[in-house]
Amino acid sequence: MKILVLNSGSSSIKYQLFEMPEQHVICSGLIERIGLEMGAVHYTSETNNVEEATEIKDHKAGLEKVVDLLLDKKTGVLHSTDEIKAVGHRVVHGGSTFTNTTEVTQDVKDKIKELFSLAPQHNPANLEGIQVAESIFNKAKQVAVFDTAFHQSIPIKAYKYAIPNKFLEQEKIRLYGFHGTSHKYVSEKAIAYLQKERTKIITIHLGNGCSITAIKDGQSIDHSLGFGPVTGLIMGSRSGDIDHTLIFYLVNTLGYSINDVNTMLQKESGMLGLTGFSDLRDIEAAAENGDTNCQLALEMNAYRIQKYIGSYVAAMNGLDAIVFTAGIGENSELVRKLVCTNMETFGIELDEVKNNVRAKQITEIHKESSKVKVLVIPTNEELEIAKQTYQLL
């Protein structure tokens, strides 16, 4: 069965075409910088590689480009869109409604739309990807896989906020958690690698969005992102944890509108707000050249992660392994080094030689004397979505 997986972000579309259940990747690629003056198209199959710079006006144009690549007589891998039996979609926020992978119906789309305000950078793009895919792959089943689903195992003592009970009971206001597809995928890889019946693992997903999860015996028991995907770690443009009285001060004393504050916390804060750079590679280069803002931002970033590691070790009463994953986690030896520095009290000892790696598979980067394994595990959200889509169908 051919399953196309679409991970539709605010300005990009990741895609992979799988033959299931063999988990064979037929082709994969990325459409990025959607809506900007010049976009980028990436496409890789077993026999061809395409790189193209072109304007991608919107997500519809991006998906149409994907279809053109799939059907191209020279580089394509399909004769017809009818060959695709299902399209699996990543959806960031499922709220309290969606706890499992779900076939898309009009009711499902309506509920995804109702959650726009909780994930404004993600759910609108996710829904647009579904709607465009329905028109292009009109004979395929459309399936939604929710980032929040993996975290449904978090106990009430961890997901409930200390606000009046009615807000949980009536409005379902609680910690939901995100990046669940990634945390689930790498934690299962780590558990298989450790070959232990009972495990205590911390998975650290570091990209433009960042999150950290405490996973005990394969179950998520606590997580850094909350009601929406803004809390916790310092992210590319999102603030992570702040004192919420700051919001009232900005509005009531400094005269900001609530929309201005929301935009600032979502799109102008994090590493971008601290350094002026949106790409970690630029931040690391500037820090190496003496930029004190960039140096401090990297230290703050690592310190926040260290605090969460400490709290999750306490929550699980122990630790077997920490896992770095996603774009930054897999590729930044500097961030991994900063996070693992002065963590010997938790049994974490980094081997700097082993750390000098961009891992393509599960890789150990700890010293032999380290009581806790430090692993780099490349995530594959698209494969996890394909597996869950196939299992549902």
Side-chain angles (χ1 to χ4, degrees), residues 243-269:
D243 179 349
H244 62 268
T245 58
L246 170 64
I247 297 171
F248 302 109
Y249 182 78
L250 288 167
V251 173
N252 297 329
T253 303
L254 299 185
Y256 284 78
S257 73
I258 197 69
N259 287 334
D260 289 340
V261 175
N262 184 54
T263 298
M264 183 266 286
L265 294 176
Q266 297 255 16
K267 299 182 179 180
E268 299 169 358
S269 297

PDB file of all heavy atoms in Angstrom, residues 243-269:
ATOM      1  N   ASP A 243       7.348  34.495  33.376  1.00  0.00           N
ATOM      2  CA  ASP A 243       6.438  34.872  34.453  1.00  0.00           C
ATOM      3  C   ASP A 243       5.206  35.488  33.802  1.00  0.00           C
ATOM      4  O   ASP A 243       5.303  36.497  33.099  1.00  0.00           O
ATOM      5  CB  ASP A 243       7.142  35.883  35.356  1.00  0.00           C
ATOM      6  CG  ASP A 243       6.268  36.377  36.503  1.00  0.00           C
ATOM      7  OD1 ASP A 243       5.048  36.113  36.494  1.00  0.00           O
ATOM      8  OD2 ASP A 243       6.812  37.053  37.395  1.00  0.00           O
ATOM      9  N   HIS A 244       4.013  34.899  34.011  1.00  0.00           N
ATOM     10  CA  HIS A 244       2.826  35.379  33.300  1.00  0.00           C
ATOM     11  C   HIS A 244       2.415  36.785  33.700  1.00  0.00           C
ATOM     12  O   HIS A 244       1.661  37.434  32.973  1.00  0.00           O
ATOM     13  CB  HIS A 244       1.655  34.406  33.484  1.00  0.00           C
ATOM     14  CG  HIS A 244       1.205  34.246  34.897  1.00  0.00           C
ATOM     15  ND1 HIS A 244       1.700  33.267  35.715  1.00  0.00           N
ATOM     16  CD2 HIS A 244       0.312  34.938  35.637  1.00  0.00           C
ATOM     17  CE1 HIS A 244       1.131  33.344  36.900  1.00  0.00           C
ATOM     18  NE2 HIS A 244       0.289  34.350  36.893  1.00  0.00           N
ATOM     19  N   THR A 245       2.925  37.289  34.833  1.00  0.00           N
ATOM     20  CA  THR A 245       2.607  38.683  35.185  1.00  0.00           C
ATOM     21  C   THR A 245       3.236  39.657  34.190  1.00  0.00           C
ATOM     22  O   THR A 245       2.787  40.808  34.077  1.00  0.00           O
ATOM     23  CB  THR A 245       3.074  39.017  36.612  1.00  0.00           C
ATOM     24  OG1 THR A 245       4.488  38.775  36.711  1.00  0.00           O
ATOM     25  CG2 THR A 245       2.339  38.184  37.646  1.00  0.00           C
ATOM     26  N   LEU A 246       4.250  39.211  33.463  1.00  0.00           N
ATOM     27  CA  LEU A 246       4.849  40.044  32.416  1.00  0.00           C
ATOM     28  C   LEU A 246       3.803  40.448  31.376  1.00  0.00           C
ATOM     29  O   LEU A 246       3.814  41.580  30.874  1.00  0.00           O
ATOM     30  CB  LEU A 246       5.996  39.271  31.750  1.00  0.00           C
ATOM     31  CG  LEU A 246       6.594  39.870  30.474  1.00  0.00           C
ATOM     32  CD1 LEU A 246       7.238  41.203  30.767  1.00  0.00           C
ATOM     33  CD2 LEU A 246       7.600  38.913  29.851  1.00  0.00           C
ATOM     34  N   ILE A 247       2.889  39.533  31.054  1.00  0.00           N
ATOM     35  CA  ILE A 247       1.856  39.827  30.057  1.00  0.00           C
ATOM     36  C   ILE A 247       0.991  40.998  30.520  1.00  0.00           C
ATOM     37  O   ILE A 247       0.715  41.930  29.758  1.00  0.00           O
ATOM     38  CB  ILE A 247       0.994  38.580  29.798  1.00  0.00           C
ATOM     39  CG1 ILE A 247       1.858  37.459  29.193  1.00  0.00           C
ATOM     40  CG2 ILE A 247      -0.179  38.910  28.869  1.00  0.00           C
ATOM     41  CD1 ILE A 247       1.159  36.124  29.098  1.00  0.00           C
ATOM     42  N   PHE A 248       0.571  40.953  31.795  1.00  0.00           N
ATOM     43  CA  PHE A 248      -0.276  42.034  32.319  1.00  0.00           C
ATOM     44  C   PHE A 248       0.499  43.344  32.385  1.00  0.00           C
ATOM     45  O   PHE A 248      -0.060  44.418  32.139  1.00  0.00           O
ATOM     46  CB  PHE A 248      -0.807  41.650  33.706  1.00  0.00           C
ATOM     47  CG  PHE A 248      -1.582  40.369  33.694  1.00  0.00           C
ATOM     48  CD1 PHE A 248      -1.063  39.222  34.282  1.00  0.00           C
ATOM     49  CD2 PHE A 248      -2.815  40.293  33.078  1.00  0.00           C
ATOM     50  CE1 PHE A 248      -1.768  38.031  34.253  1.00  0.00           C
ATOM     51  CE2 PHE A 248      -3.532  39.101  33.044  1.00  0.00           C
ATOM     52  CZ  PHE A 248      -3.002  37.975  33.635  1.00  0.00           C
ATOM     53  N   TYR A 249       1.793  43.288  32.699  1.00  0.00           N
ATOM     54  CA  TYR A 249       2.608  44.495  32.744  1.00  0.00           C
ATOM     55  C   TYR A 249       2.727  45.113  31.355  1.00  0.00           C
ATOM     56  O   TYR A 249       2.596  46.342  31.193  1.00  0.00           O
ATOM     57  CB  TYR A 249       3.996  44.157  33.297  1.00  0.00           C
ATOM     58  CG  TYR A 249       4.895  45.358  33.437  1.00  0.00           C
ATOM     59  CD1 TYR A 249       4.752  46.243  34.510  1.00  0.00           C
ATOM     60  CD2 TYR A 249       5.893  45.621  32.497  1.00  0.00           C
ATOM     61  CE1 TYR A 249       5.582  47.351  34.630  1.00  0.00           C
ATOM     62  CE2 TYR A 249       6.728  46.719  32.612  1.00  0.00           C
ATOM     63  CZ  TYR A 249       6.560  47.586  33.683  1.00  0.00           C
ATOM     64  OH  TYR A 249       7.383  48.691  33.795  1.00  0.00           O
ATOM     65  N   LEU A 250       2.970  44.292  30.349  1.00  0.00           N
ATOM     66  CA  LEU A 250       3.086  44.796  28.981  1.00  0.00           C
ATOM     67  C   LEU A 250       1.781  45.452  28.517  1.00  0.00           C
ATOM     68  O   LEU A 250       1.798  46.493  27.859  1.00  0.00           O
ATOM     69  CB  LEU A 250       3.459  43.649  28.031  1.00  0.00           C
ATOM     70  CG  LEU A 250       4.888  43.104  28.136  1.00  0.00           C
ATOM     71  CD1 LEU A 250       5.019  41.792  27.375  1.00  0.00           C
ATOM     72  CD2 LEU A 250       5.893  44.119  27.615  1.00  0.00           C
ATOM     73  N   VAL A 251       0.649  44.845  28.876  1.00  0.00           N
ATOM     74  CA  VAL A 251      -0.650  45.358  28.433  1.00  0.00           C
ATOM     75  C   VAL A 251      -1.088  46.558  29.262  1.00  0.00           C
ATOM     76  O   VAL A 251      -1.438  47.619  28.722  1.00  0.00           O
ATOM     77  CB  VAL A 251      -1.719  44.246  28.498  1.00  0.00           C
ATOM     78  CG1 VAL A 251      -3.108  44.811  28.212  1.00  0.00           C
ATOM     79  CG2 VAL A 251      -1.395  43.132  27.499  1.00  0.00           C
ATOM     80  N   ASN A 252      -1.067  46.420  30.580  1.00  0.00           N
ATOM     81  CA  ASN A 252      -1.655  47.442  31.454  1.00  0.00           C
ATOM     82  C   ASN A 252      -0.741  48.622  31.721  1.00  0.00           C
ATOM     83  O   ASN A 252      -1.220  49.740  31.941  1.00  0.00           O
ATOM     84  CB  ASN A 252      -2.060  46.813  32.795  1.00  0.00           C
ATOM     85  CG  ASN A 252      -3.133  45.756  32.630  1.00  0.00           C
ATOM     86  OD1 ASN A 252      -3.961  45.846  31.738  1.00  0.00           O
ATOM     87  ND2 ASN A 252      -3.118  44.752  33.491  1.00  0.00           N
ATOM     88  N   THR A 253       0.579  48.402  31.724  1.00  0.00           N
ATOM     89  CA  THR A 253       1.517  49.477  32.054  1.00  0.00           C
ATOM     90  C   THR A 253       2.210  50.045  30.824  1.00  0.00           C
ATOM     91  O   THR A 253       2.337  51.267  30.681  1.00  0.00           O
ATOM     92  CB  THR A 253       2.572  48.968  33.056  1.00  0.00           C
ATOM     93  OG1 THR A 253       1.908  48.458  34.212  1.00  0.00           O
ATOM     94  CG2 THR A 253       3.515  50.091  33.472  1.00  0.00           C
ATOM     95  N   LEU A 254       2.643  49.171  29.918  1.00  0.00           N
ATOM     96  CA  LEU A 254       3.388  49.643  28.744  1.00  0.00           C
ATOM     97  C   LEU A 254       2.503  49.890  27.526  1.00  0.00           C
ATOM     98  O   LEU A 254       2.979  50.395  26.510  1.00  0.00           O
ATOM     99  CB  LEU A 254       4.494  48.646  28.385  1.00  0.00           C
ATOM    100  CG  LEU A 254       5.554  48.406  29.473  1.00  0.00           C
ATOM    101  CD1 LEU A 254       6.660  47.503  28.948  1.00  0.00           C
ATOM    102  CD2 LEU A 254       6.142  49.727  29.973  1.00  0.00           C
ATOM    103  N   GLY A 255       1.213  49.499  27.612  1.00  0.00           N
ATOM    104  CA  GLY A 255       0.270  49.855  26.552  1.00  0.00           C
ATOM    105  C   GLY A 255       0.244  48.940  25.345  1.00  0.00           C
ATOM    106  O   GLY A 255      -0.342  49.292  24.316  1.00  0.00           O
ATOM    107  N   TYR A 256       0.863  47.762  25.438  1.00  0.00           N
ATOM    108  CA  TYR A 256       0.790  46.819  24.321  1.00  0.00           C
ATOM    109  C   TYR A 256      -0.615  46.225  24.232  1.00  0.00           C
ATOM    110  O   TYR A 256      -1.272  46.033  25.258  1.00  0.00           O
ATOM    111  CB  TYR A 256       1.794  45.680  24.521  1.00  0.00           C
ATOM    112  CG  TYR A 256       3.224  46.047  24.238  1.00  0.00           C
ATOM    113  CD1 TYR A 256       3.976  46.770  25.168  1.00  0.00           C
ATOM    114  CD2 TYR A 256       3.842  45.660  23.053  1.00  0.00           C
ATOM    115  CE1 TYR A 256       5.302  47.100  24.921  1.00  0.00           C
ATOM    116  CE2 TYR A 256       5.164  45.978  22.798  1.00  0.00           C
ATOM    117  CZ  TYR A 256       5.889  46.703  23.735  1.00  0.00           C
ATOM    118  OH  TYR A 256       7.192  47.028  23.484  1.00  0.00           O
ATOM    119  N   SER A 257      -1.056  45.932  23.007  1.00  0.00           N
ATOM    120  CA  SER A 257      -2.312  45.194  22.872  1.00  0.00           C
ATOM    121  C   SER A 257      -2.038  43.727  23.157  1.00  0.00           C
ATOM    122  O   SER A 257      -0.895  43.253  23.045  1.00  0.00           O
ATOM    123  CB  SER A 257      -2.880  45.350  21.462  1.00  0.00           C
ATOM    124  OG  SER A 257      -2.115  44.598  20.526  1.00  0.00           O
ATOM    125  N   ILE A 258      -3.089  42.988  23.505  1.00  0.00           N
ATOM    126  CA  ILE A 258      -2.909  41.571  23.794  1.00  0.00           C
ATOM    127  C   ILE A 258      -2.439  40.817  22.551  1.00  0.00           C
ATOM    128  O   ILE A 258      -1.657  39.865  22.636  1.00  0.00           O
ATOM    129  CB  ILE A 258      -4.202  40.956  24.371  1.00  0.00           C
ATOM    130  CG1 ILE A 258      -3.898  39.612  25.058  1.00  0.00           C
ATOM    131  CG2 ILE A 258      -5.264  40.791  23.316  1.00  0.00           C
ATOM    132  CD1 ILE A 258      -3.093  39.739  26.322  1.00  0.00           C
ATOM    133  N   ASN A 259      -2.870  41.268  21.364  1.00  0.00           N
ATOM    134  CA  ASN A 259      -2.409  40.641  20.116  1.00  0.00           C
ATOM    135  C   ASN A 259      -0.925  40.893  19.885  1.00  0.00           C
ATOM    136  O   ASN A 259      -0.206  40.019  19.401  1.00  0.00           O
ATOM    137  CB  ASN A 259      -3.226  41.154  18.933  1.00  0.00           C
ATOM    138  CG  ASN A 259      -4.627  40.585  18.904  1.00  0.00           C
ATOM    139  OD1 ASN A 259      -4.862  39.493  19.429  1.00  0.00           O
ATOM    140  ND2 ASN A 259      -5.555  41.310  18.315  1.00  0.00           N
ATOM    141  N   ASP A 260      -0.471  42.128  20.233  1.00  0.00           N
ATOM    142  CA  ASP A 260       0.958  42.443  20.098  1.00  0.00           C
ATOM    143  C   ASP A 260       1.798  41.553  21.010  1.00  0.00           C
ATOM    144  O   ASP A 260       2.863  41.069  20.619  1.00  0.00           O
ATOM    145  CB  ASP A 260       1.217  43.916  20.435  1.00  0.00           C
ATOM    146  CG  ASP A 260       0.692  44.867  19.376  1.00  0.00           C
ATOM    147  OD1 ASP A 260       0.477  44.420  18.232  1.00  0.00           O
ATOM    148  OD2 ASP A 260       0.488  46.056  19.699  1.00  0.00           O
ATOM    149  N   VAL A 261       1.321  41.337  22.229  1.00  0.00           N
ATOM    150  CA  VAL A 261       2.050  40.490  23.173  1.00  0.00           C
ATOM    151  C   VAL A 261       2.094  39.047  22.664  1.00  0.00           C
ATOM    152  O   VAL A 261       3.136  38.385  22.719  1.00  0.00           O
ATOM    153  CB  VAL A 261       1.407  40.545  24.571  1.00  0.00           C
ATOM    154  CG1 VAL A 261       2.092  39.558  25.514  1.00  0.00           C
ATOM    155  CG2 VAL A 261       1.500  41.963  25.137  1.00  0.00           C
ATOM    156  N   ASN A 262       0.977  38.564  22.160  1.00  0.00           N
ATOM    157  CA  ASN A 262       0.929  37.202  21.629  1.00  0.00           C
ATOM    158  C   ASN A 262       1.902  37.034  20.469  1.00  0.00           C
ATOM    159  O   ASN A 262       2.648  36.049  20.398  1.00  0.00           O
ATOM    160  CB  ASN A 262      -0.493  36.870  21.178  1.00  0.00           C
ATOM    161  CG  ASN A 262      -0.617  35.430  20.695  1.00  0.00           C
ATOM    162  OD1 ASN A 262      -0.264  34.500  21.409  1.00  0.00           O
ATOM    163  ND2 ASN A 262      -1.108  35.244  19.478  1.00  0.00           N
ATOM    164  N   THR A 263       1.922  38.012  19.556  1.00  0.00           N
ATOM    165  CA  THR A 263       2.858  37.964  18.429  1.00  0.00           C
ATOM    166  C   THR A 263       4.291  37.980  18.916  1.00  0.00           C
ATOM    167  O   THR A 263       5.148  37.235  18.412  1.00  0.00           O
ATOM    168  CB  THR A 263       2.610  39.150  17.484  1.00  0.00           C
ATOM    169  OG1 THR A 263       1.281  39.060  16.961  1.00  0.00           O
ATOM    170  CG2 THR A 263       3.601  39.166  16.339  1.00  0.00           C
ATOM    171  N   MET A 264       4.565  38.837  19.908  1.00  0.00           N
ATOM    172  CA  MET A 264       5.922  38.938  20.442  1.00  0.00           C
ATOM    173  C   MET A 264       6.381  37.617  21.048  1.00  0.00           C
ATOM    174  O   MET A 264       7.497  37.137  20.774  1.00  0.00           O
ATOM    175  CB  MET A 264       5.987  40.055  21.487  1.00  0.00           C
ATOM    176  CG  MET A 264       7.382  40.303  22.053  1.00  0.00           C
ATOM    177  SD  MET A 264       7.685  39.389  23.576  1.00  0.00           S
ATOM    178  CE  MET A 264       6.690  40.330  24.727  1.00  0.00           C
ATOM    179  N   LEU A 265       5.532  36.981  21.848  1.00  0.00           N
ATOM    180  CA  LEU A 265       5.917  35.741  22.513  1.00  0.00           C
ATOM    181  C   LEU A 265       6.031  34.570  21.543  1.00  0.00           C
ATOM    182  O   LEU A 265       6.830  33.660  21.758  1.00  0.00           O
ATOM    183  CB  LEU A 265       4.905  35.397  23.610  1.00  0.00           C
ATOM    184  CG  LEU A 265       4.843  36.362  24.795  1.00  0.00           C
ATOM    185  CD1 LEU A 265       3.729  35.955  25.750  1.00  0.00           C
ATOM    186  CD2 LEU A 265       6.175  36.421  25.531  1.00  0.00           C
ATOM    187  N   GLN A 266       5.226  34.592  20.457  1.00  0.00           N
ATOM    188  CA  GLN A 266       5.217  33.484  19.506  1.00  0.00           C
ATOM    189  C   GLN A 266       6.259  33.641  18.399  1.00  0.00           C
ATOM    190  O   GLN A 266       6.875  32.648  17.973  1.00  0.00           O
ATOM    191  CB  GLN A 266       3.827  33.376  18.847  1.00  0.00           C
ATOM    192  CG  GLN A 266       2.711  33.053  19.807  1.00  0.00           C
ATOM    193  CD  GLN A 266       2.252  31.613  19.700  1.00  0.00           C
ATOM    194  OE1 GLN A 266       2.935  30.770  19.137  1.00  0.00           O
ATOM    195  NE2 GLN A 266       1.093  31.333  20.246  1.00  0.00           N
ATOM    196  N   LYS A 267       6.453  34.876  17.929  1.00  0.00           N
ATOM    197  CA  LYS A 267       7.221  35.071  16.696  1.00  0.00           C
ATOM    198  C   LYS A 267       8.457  35.958  16.821  1.00  0.00           C
ATOM    199  O   LYS A 267       9.265  36.013  15.898  1.00  0.00           O
ATOM    200  CB  LYS A 267       6.302  35.656  15.607  1.00  0.00           C
ATOM    201  CG  LYS A 267       5.140  34.750  15.245  1.00  0.00           C
ATOM    202  CD  LYS A 267       4.295  35.354  14.135  1.00  0.00           C
ATOM    203  CE  LYS A 267       3.149  34.424  13.750  1.00  0.00           C
ATOM    204  NZ  LYS A 267       2.313  34.993  12.667  1.00  0.00           N
ATOM    205  N   GLU A 268       8.620  36.643  17.953  1.00  0.00           N
ATOM    206  CA  GLU A 268       9.717  37.609  18.061  1.00  0.00           C
ATOM    207  C   GLU A 268      10.610  37.357  19.262  1.00  0.00           C
ATOM    208  O   GLU A 268      11.492  38.159  19.565  1.00  0.00           O
ATOM    209  CB  GLU A 268       9.136  39.028  18.148  1.00  0.00           C
ATOM    210  CG  GLU A 268       8.311  39.423  16.926  1.00  0.00           C
ATOM    211  CD  GLU A 268       7.514  40.710  17.139  1.00  0.00           C
ATOM    212  OE1 GLU A 268       7.578  41.271  18.263  1.00  0.00           O
ATOM    213  OE2 GLU A 268       6.840  41.150  16.183  1.00  0.00           O
ATOM    214  N   SER A 269      10.405  36.251  19.953  1.00  0.00           N
ATOM    215  CA  SER A 269      11.137  35.973  21.184  1.00  0.00           C
ATOM    216  C   SER A 269      12.111  34.818  20.981  1.00  0.00           C
ATOM    217  O   SER A 269      12.623  34.626  19.880  1.00  0.00           O
ATOM    218  CB  SER A 269      10.137  35.680  22.310  1.00  0.00           C
ATOM    219  OG  SER A 269       9.331  36.812  22.570  1.00  0.00           O
TER     220      SER A 269
END
